[in-house]
Each structure stands twice: as structure tokens, then as C-alpha cells.
Amino acid sequence: MKNLNLPISYLKGVTANRASLLLQELQIRTCADLLTLFPYRYIDKTRFYKISQLENNNSEVQIIGKITRIKTVKQQRGSRLVATFIDERGSIELVWFKGVRWIKEVLKVDVPYVVYGKLNSYNNSFSIPHPEMDLFSDYKKKLQTAMQPVYPSTEMLTNKGISNKIIRTIVQHLFLQMDSNIEESLSPSCIAEFGLMSKSEALLNVHFPKSQEKLAQAQYRLKFEELFFIQLQLLRKKLIRKSKIKGYVFDKVGTYFTTFYNNYLPFDLTNAQKRVLKEIRKDVGSHAHMNRLLQGDVGSGKTIVALLSILLALDNGFQAALIAPTEILATQHYNAITELLAKMEVNVALLTGSVKAKRRKEIHRDLEDGTLHLLIGTHALLEDKVVFKNLGIAIIDEQHRFGVAQRSKMWKKNALPPHVLVMTATPIPRTLAMSVYGDLDISVIDELPPGRKEVKTVHRFDSNRLGVFKFLKDEIAKGRQVYIVYPLIQESAAMDYKDLMDGYESIARDFPVPDYQISIVHGKMKPADKEYEMQRFVKGETQIMVATTVIEVGVNVPNASVMVIESAERFGLSQLHQLRGRVGRGADQSYCILLTDFALSSDAKTRLKTMVATSDGFKIAEVDLKLRGPGNLMGTKQSGVLNLKIADLVKDTSILVTARNAAIAVLQDDANLSKPKNSALLKSYTQIQKTSGLWANIS
Ligand code: ADP
Ligand code: MG
């Protein structure tokens, strides 16, 4: 057999029934699919443990020793069999719950056995339930296969009798029936440069490792290959986009930009802001189409970068759009920007869901005839009726709206697509960004404006509540305002509302009128009431804002300097970080107090420690990635890049960086992979492109 694309029914041991089950349960159709059904762990029977060396984290172990005693223990239903098993220095229990009578008859006391099984630990003593037992004398006669693969499976497969052993046998047949080596997919120079195992040897060793060392080499090679081809695809996609999709050229720096920059810029730009602006200008000045992700922590000053990019578009005769995820945020942008542009002749409008029909019509008209320069709003901007005369740049605040703008009709009058700048305050760790957004250009504002004081963050237990309240009173006495935030999770919403209301009552008792005024805001309130309560806090009429996470994005009250987070253990890291970003906006020292119960999971402890230790959004995102895995981070769900077969984006970051650099080097030398030395590469690349979904989402 030479063709790996043949269905697996060509293999010995694969009946039609098994073939259809394997397809249904594990999506395995061809021999090639089977070849990349990678074992997720291995049973290592090359190693013997001493009982005294066993540890909690040993999953399966093999030991040699003797049974000293067998007893039957009555339990609620039937009985269990317990054998005491010893080696030179230790003792362990072997336990059976089924077939007790039969097993009791065959077990021999005081005779050497080789025992293999899954280790259980309870109160510092170990046991092995239903172990595999071989008399030592028999064991020596058997030919031992070294490390055995354990394949992914499903309940259905197990129920239908397709055990791991059967899958293993089928894979063995695959290797036996292949009459030639598996073709190499990487170039010889790549293999030599990175000291990689050949593909053929790697596949054999990942299924049937000769040793731990060979297994490690095999896994490295296959992970490298997987990540390399993803990077190759992303980087080529970017290259092609840059060469094929032209963008408008903003080559003029005109009056809008210079007038604003010289007269109305309220502060000096930070170096990071200047650098990012340069990156943007390079894109928009070059005939290329800009598709850029701008990452910058809360408060790093993304808005001004957006505004300067907008003015650049205006200078070149284009209109601009700024889209925010919520009405509050859109309104805030509108207020901030109209204030900054107060003395300039720029026509700016706000379009959200609550804009009345009459005003809406005016906006539509002014957009189409070009009177309106800049439209700020929510996703109301993406409705079909919103048509620009010549949209030059679309700026999107928060990345998860990404994609939406690309499908919009906003620029149906355009000859070319507008430049796109996506701004996000949820930093994505570099390695993840490389994989998920590898085809985008990425800019980072990694510096906060000067004079910003770090928010002092502490973790306190509920039992310290009185102390915390005393502190709040002192801060309020200095004229500051305070947020107290409660968790609200859909699954436990009723309980959470009760906690919020109980909390509110107890706060109202401790902070009585008329000395204190309290606002409360939560999702069950009518929008108008919410707005009223918010405004009271914004205007400083109330000193305390009790709220659920609705305040996570949006509200900007520089005078609020304390953020208290109740049941902080229930919040995710990025949420905690976003909440903390609500304070520290003014000149005063700000504080974040994380209140929790005593009982904390180890993940919760890590989250709290991280928050106390750092305010760097990128560091926090790295920890979050480690805790939750890449699939749960924002914006990654839709990405096909994460369906990895063998590599792990959290654990294999160094392989990822190596693979990306290797892909960059290849493309710099041979962008079309047309040189003879890259023929193997091109072949696999073409094959992968046909089967993977990566290209499906190109705009
Ligand atoms: P974000 O990146 O969270 O959108 P903003 O653009 O809202 O941040 O900026 C946060 C605050 O910092 C604003 O009040 C803004 O005026 C101020 N700011 C931005 N850049 C600078 C700077 N270079 N120097 C001083 N203050 C700045
Ligand atoms: Mg912002």
C-alpha cells in the first residue's frame, strides 16, 4: 500500500462496522487520518517502581513483589478483596471489587509477581484497584513491548468493543502494510538546521516509541511541523493580502493633523504611542491595506492614537468610523473626541441604537454626501442603511467585534476597502497572538502615560471586612469615591442577586445617610434607572457605587479611587484586571481590595496572587492562558488555528517561536515556495491548505 489517502477499511482488522464507528467517533476516514491519531499518553512498562518511591502523581506503575495476605472485606453490597503486597521496603494494597471469588482462588501468597496498574492514593497510603498480575516467572518468558500508546477514545467505541488494544493493533497493521517510507514534508535544510527526526521515524516513534528519548524527539518533530505549517499559512496569507489587496494611500499630512498636533494635543505622546503611530502611518502611506491589531492596557492611551489616525484619513479626503462595543463607550468616545476637536472644523456624529429616526436620517444623508467626517457609534454603524461616501479608515474598539466590520456595507461606494484598526485592552499573550492573529499586523502600547500611579492591590479575607470599611470611610472623608462590585454569573444569577442585595443592605447600614449616599446599579434595572444612578455617581452626588460587573467597561470617574471586589475568587483574571482599570484614572493614589472567603481553590489563589503582584496586562494574560488554556481566551474560539493535533500553545511556546522564525526564513527566501529545494514543503503545504479551514475565513 502506497497511498495514505485510502480508506482505513483497506487495513487488516478493519471491518466495515469498525470503519464506520471510527469515522463517526474519531473522524478517521483514511490511513493518513489514522496516522495522525496521536496517542495522548503511553503506558511505560520499561520502568519498575519501588513501593517506597511511589508518589501521588504517578498514574500507572509497575512493581515487583509478593502478596503476604489476602482478605475479603464486606461492604454495603457484596464484598471486596484486598491483598497486601510488599517489596523489599514497602507495602501497598491490591484491591478487587469484581470477580472476587474467582480471583481469590488464583492469587498465590509469597510468590513473586509483576503488578501493573493505576495508582490510587488515600490518606497517604497507596492502592491499585484491579491490577494486571503476572507471575514473575511468566513475565520473564513474555516478549515485552516497551511503551504502549494509549489513543483517544469515546464511550461509544469502548461500548462497541473497540478497545485501545484494537486501535493499537490496527495502527500496527498500518505500519506493516505501508510498503514505502512516509514522505518527508520538510526541506532537508530545515531538518538539518533544527536537528529534526525524519517524518517517517517520528511517526513510527510517536505510535510505538522505542524509548522515552526517541518519543521526545518524535514529538518535537511533529509539533514543530504542525506549528510550522500553521505559521507558513498565516504568513503567506498576510503576504498575499499585502500584495493583492490594495489600500488607499494617506500620503498627505495636512491641516487637520498638524493643526491638532500643534495646537490641541493636550499632552506629549508617550514613546509607545509615537511608535505605534509611525507603524500605522507606514501602513496607510504605502498602497497596502492596513489590517492592524492595536493592543494596549486600559489607560494606555489608545484613543488619541485612534484620533490622530482619523485626522490623517480626513487630511487625505476620506471619512472615518469609530465603533465601540457598548452605547456607554461609544458615547464616551464621542464626548472625549468632540471636546478634543472643539476648536476645529470637523463634523462628528454619534449613532447608537437610541438615536431617534429623524436624527438617524440626517446622519445617513450627511454620510452619503460627505458632509460628515467622522461617525462614532455602536454596531448600529454596521446596518445596511449606513453608507459612507468614502470611508478611509474603520477603527474598532475591542477585538471581539472584529470580522463584523468586514462584512458590513458601510463602504459599498468605496473602490477599495478601508483601513482597519482594531483596538483591544485585553492583551493576548504574544505566542497566542502569533497563532490566532498571525496574519494581522500587531502594534503594542506597552507604556502608560507618565505620572500614573500604580493601583495598590491587596487581598483581604471577609473576616477583615470591618477594617476594609474603616479604610473606605477614611478615603471617602478625603473626598474620594468607591466602587463595590459583586459577581453575577448566569448560572447562579438568583443567588448572586440575593448576595448583591444583602451586601447593599449591610453597606447601607454601615454607611448611613445623610453622611453617605449610595448608588446601586445592576442588570435587572431599567436602563433609565441605571443611567440615573450612574449619573449620580459620575456627578459625585453619591460616594459609593454598589454594582455588578455592568461597570466593567465604560464608566470613567477619575475621582473614584477605590475598587472593592466581593467574592473576588469567583472572577476570572481578565475580568479582575478590567475592573481594577476603573480606578487609578485620577491623580490620587488608588486601591483595589480583593475580598474572599477562606476556602480558595489553587487556581483562585494563583489569580489573586497574580493580581496583587502585577498590573501588567500582558503578564496577567500569560497567567490566564496557563490557567484556562487557549480555547477560553477572548477571540480565539472562532479560530481554526486551535484545533491542534499534537502541539500545545501553552506548553510549546518555544517550539512555536522556532517554527515561526523558520517559516519567516523560508518565505523571505522563496515567497512562492517554488524553488526545487522547497518542493516537499510546497507539496505538504498545498495538501494542508486544501484540508484545513484556515483559508475559509479570509476576507
Ligand atoms: P485606553 O487605552 O484605555 O483607551 P485612553 O485613550 O482612554 O486609554 O486614555 C486614558 C487616559 O490617559 C485619558 O484620560 C487620556 O487623556 C490620557 N492620556 C493618553 N495619552 C496620554 C499621554 N501621552 N500623556 C498623558 N495622558 C495621556
Ligand atoms: Mg479606550
Side-chain angles (χ1 to χ4, degrees):
M1 189 190 64
K2 283 204 163 62
N3 184 356
L4 284 173
N5 290 322
L6 286 173
I8 49 170
S9 49
Y10 276 76
L11 298 173
K12 204 172 151 207
V14 184
T15 58
N17 188 25
R18 282 180 179 173
S20 79
L21 276 168
L22 285 168
L23 176 61
Q24 176 193 315
E25 295 296 306
L26 300 175
Q27 291 74 51
I28 293 173
R29 187 189 300 275
T30 65
C31 293
D33 295 339
L34 189 62
L35 211 48
T36 54
L37 175 71
F38 295 120
Y40 67 94
R41 64 185 181 89
Y42 299 84
I43 294 172
D44 185 359
K45 290 196 173 175
T46 58
R47 168 160 187 199
F48 287 95
Y49 287 81
K50 297 284 177 215
I51 293 174
S52 57
Q53 293 167 345
L54 294 178
E55 285 174 23
N56 262 331
N57 56 8
N58 293 138
S59 49
E60 266 121 6
V61 297
Q62 180 170 250
I63 46 186
I64 302 179
K66 295 176 194 173
I67 294 174
T68 55
R69 196 162 72 109
I70 303 175
K71 64 180 178 198
T72 313
V73 182
K74 284 254 171 297
Q75 48 185 45
Q76 265 182 339
R77 278 216 216 135
S79 56
R80 68 172 189 273
L81 188 67
V82 179
T84 307
F85 188 82
I86 60 159
D87 63 7
E88 306 92 69
R89 303 235 254 120
S91 128
I92 187 173
E93 286 189 338
L94 310 177
V95 189
W96 289 265
F97 302 94
K98 287 182 188 162
V100 168
R101 200 176 312 156
W102 175 77
I103 288 163
K104 191 173 179 182
E105 268 173 31
V106 299
L107 285 183
K108 298 191 171 109
V109 175
D110 238 8
V111 177
Y113 274 102
V114 174
V115 166
Y116 178 86
K118 197 166 172 351
L119 194 63
N120 262 351
S121 78
Y122 183 73
N123 277 347
N124 287 330
S125 72
F126 291 108
S127 65
I128 301 178
H130 289 269
E132 285 175 29
M133 309 276 298
D134 273 312
L135 284 172
F136 186 62
S137 51
D138 290 344
Y139 174 86
K140 282 195 296 188
K141 286 183 222 146
K142 273 206 250 174
L143 179 66
Q144 292 303 314
T145 45
M147 295 174 63
Q148 291 179 1
V150 181
Y151 291 98
S153 187
T154 66
E155 209 177 321
M156 174 70 98
L157 286 177
T158 318
N159 287 344
K160 298 275 177 177
I162 304 187
S163 62
N164 189 56
K165 196 166 165 189
I166 286 179
I167 297 182
R168 205 162 67 208
T169 314
I170 297 173
V171 178
Q172 254 159 4
H173 284 306
L174 172 61
F175 278 96
L176 291 172
Q177 282 177 245
M178 272 190 296
D179 46 18
S180 59
N181 269 351
I182 294 158
E183 250 179 86
E184 186 49 65
S185 49
L186 296 173
S187 64
S189 60
C190 189
I191 291 180
E193 184 180 348
F194 298 101
L196 302 173
M197 198 181 237
S198 75
K199 178 155 186 169
S200 193
E201 200 187 350
L203 282 168
L204 181 62
N205 270 286
V206 87
H207 288 287
F208 304 107
K210 303 237 162 57
S211 65
Q212 286 283 3
E213 200 186 1
K214 290 263 185 203
L215 174 61
Q217 287 170 8
Q219 286 173 326
Y220 186 91
R221 146 81 210 217
L222 296 169
K223 288 175 177 184
F224 179 93
E225 168 166 354
E226 184 168 44
L227 296 169
F228 174 83
F229 279 108
I230 289 175
Q231 290 303 321
L232 204 61
Q233 286 184 84
L234 290 168
L235 291 163
R236 279 212 77 212
K237 188 166 151 183
K238 181 154 123 185
L239 268 178
I240 292 173
R241 180 165 53 68
K242 294 227 148 161
S243 66
K244 287 235 174 88
I245 308 182
K246 294 287 169 228
Y248 292 121
V249 188
F250 300 170
D251 51 1
K252 263 189 293 210
V253 178
T255 357
Y256 286 117
F257 190 97
T258 40
T259 307
F260 180 78
Y261 201 92
N262 295 335
N263 305 323
Y264 306 121
L265 190 65
F267 36 66
D268 291 332
L269 295 183
T270 62
N271 286 328
Q273 285 169 324
K274 284 185 194 156
R275 189 188 63 233
V276 169
L277 203 62
K278 245 188 223 151
E279 289 165 354
I280 292 171
R281 282 185 54 185
K282 198 167 158 223
D283 281 358
V284 298
S286 72
H287 281 288
H289 174 245
M290 178 171 77
N291 204 0
R292 186 169 281 280
L293 181 69
L294 171 55
Q295 300 194 55
D297 229 326
V298 187
S300 61
K302 295 184 291 294
T303 316
I304 202 78
V305 172
L307 179 59
L308 287 164
S309 314
I310 287 167
L311 294 176
L312 207 57
L314 267 49
D315 274 339
N316 288 272
F318 291 95
Q319 294 168 299
L322 173 57
I323 309 170
T326 64
E327 191 156 341
I328 299 180
L329 268 180
T331 310
Q332 240 171 56
H333 276 313
Y334 177 78
N335 292 338
I337 286 176
T338 42
E339 194 175 314
L340 285 165
L341 296 179
K343 297 204 176 115
M344 289 178 55
E345 301 275 304
V346 180
N347 293 327
V348 189
L350 176 68
L351 181 64
T352 66
S354 47
V355 169
K356 298 267 159 33
K358 182 163 164 263
R359 173 75 187 126
R360 205 174 268 265
K361 276 210 183 106
E362 283 167 19
I363 291 176
H364 291 164
R365 188 197 59 213
D366 292 352
L367 265 187
E368 285 216 53
D369 70 17
T371 324
L372 201 57
H373 299 121
L374 168 60
L375 183 59
I376 299 176
T378 55
H379 45 272
L381 258 71
L382 304 174
E383 284 166 12
D384 289 355
K385 278 186 212 139
V386 180
V387 179
F388 286 76
K389 183 180 178 208
N390 57 357
L391 181 61
I393 188 166
I395 295 175
I396 301 157
D397 203 5
E398 278 308 320
Q399 93 245 12
H400 49 281
R401 298 281 172 199
F402 191 55
V404 183
Q406 298 193 322
R407 284 196 295 274
S408 138
K409 304 230 162 72
M410 290 195 295
W411 61 86
K412 74 173 177 202
K413 295 200 164 173
N414 278 26
L416 294 174
H419 296 296
V420 176
L421 180 69
V422 181
M423 307 194 293
T424 174
T426 318
I428 305 161
R430 203 170 77 92
T431 49
L432 190 61
M434 269 182 199
S435 314
V436 181
Y437 297 112
D439 61 324
L440 296 187
D441 297 299
I442 297 181
S443 290
V444 179
I445 304 186
D446 49 6
E447 179 188 359
L448 292 181
R452 202 68 60 80
K453 288 204 185 90
E454 193 153 321
V455 178
K456 277 193 187 145
T457 305
V458 294
H459 171 208
R460 294 280 180 268
F461 292 108
D462 288 334
S463 51
N464 292 126
R465 186 171 298 270
L466 284 182
V468 171
F469 281 5
K470 167 82 174 59
F471 176 77
L472 299 186
K473 284 183 179 160
D474 291 347
E475 285 298 301
I476 291 170
K478 289 186 211 157
R480 306 287 126 71
Q481 287 166 287
V482 173
Y483 294 103
I484 303 179
V485 176
Y486 284 79
L488 179 60
I489 294 157
Q490 216 149 33
E491 292 83 62
S492 55
M495 276 288 282
D496 288 348
Y497 273 117
K498 188 174 175 306
D499 286 351
L500 171 73
M501 285 335 233
D502 290 352
Y504 173 72
E505 274 167 32
S506 102
I507 291 161
R509 242 178 285 125
D510 271 281
F511 295 85
V513 281
D515 292 349
Y516 301 97
Q517 302 290 336
I518 307 175
S519 285
I520 178 165
V521 171
H522 58 76
K524 277 190 177 172
M525 291 163 69
K526 291 203 191 98
D529 296 342
K530 241 196 270 185
E531 186 57 29
Y532 173 77
E533 288 286 318
M534 290 246 203
Q535 283 310 324
R536 290 212 304 149
F537 189 67
V538 172
K539 287 183 202 143
E541 294 167 11
T542 59
Q543 297 89 33
I544 301 176
M545 160 73 92
V546 176
T548 53
T549 41
V550 288
I551 61 154
E552 195 180 326
V553 282
V555 227
N556 183 20
V557 182
N559 189 50
S561 64
V562 187
M563 168 64 66
V564 179
I565 304 178
E566 294 272 357
S567 305
E569 72 274 19
R570 295 180 57 203
F571 289 85
L573 258 181
S574 69
Q575 233 180 349
L576 291 173
H577 182 59
Q578 291 290 324
L579 283 171
R580 181 169 57 184
R582 296 298 106 204
V583 295
R585 309 193 141 222
D588 313 306
Q589 176 63 53
S590 290
Y591 303 88
C592 175
I593 302 171
L594 307 166
L595 277 173
T596 75
D597 207 343
F598 276 116
L600 294 172
S601 70
S602 81
D603 276 10
K605 279 183 197 155
T606 308
R607 290 195 295 269
L608 295 163
K609 258 197 210 138
T610 307
M611 285 297 293
V612 171
T614 182
S615 54
D616 179 334
F618 281 92
K619 282 194 190 135
I620 290 172
E622 292 280 355
V623 177
D624 204 23
L625 177 63
K626 291 210 172 88
L627 289 179
R628 295 200 299 156
N632 289 314
L633 294 196
M634 209 195 268
T636 60
K637 281 237 172 65
Q638 314 81 328
S639 165
V641 176
L642 296 175
N643 297 327
L644 298 179
K645 284 209 157 100
I646 188 162
D648 178 323
L649 286 181
V650 179
K651 295 188 187 128
D652 300 323
T653 50
S654 74
I655 309 181
L656 172 61
V657 174
T658 313
R660 180 174 171 93
N661 290 336
I664 290 172
V666 167
L667 290 176
Q668 270 169 356
D669 169 58
D670 182 13
N672 293 318
L673 305 177
S674 54
K675 293 191 181 169
K677 65 176 176 187
N678 288 327
S679 65
L681 257 183
L682 179 65
K683 196 167 166 193
S684 338
Y685 178 82
T686 317
Q687 177 67 27
I688 289 169
Q689 224 178 276
K690 255 190 262 167
T691 49
S692 93
L694 270 188
W695 281 77
N697 55 18
I698 190 169
S699 46

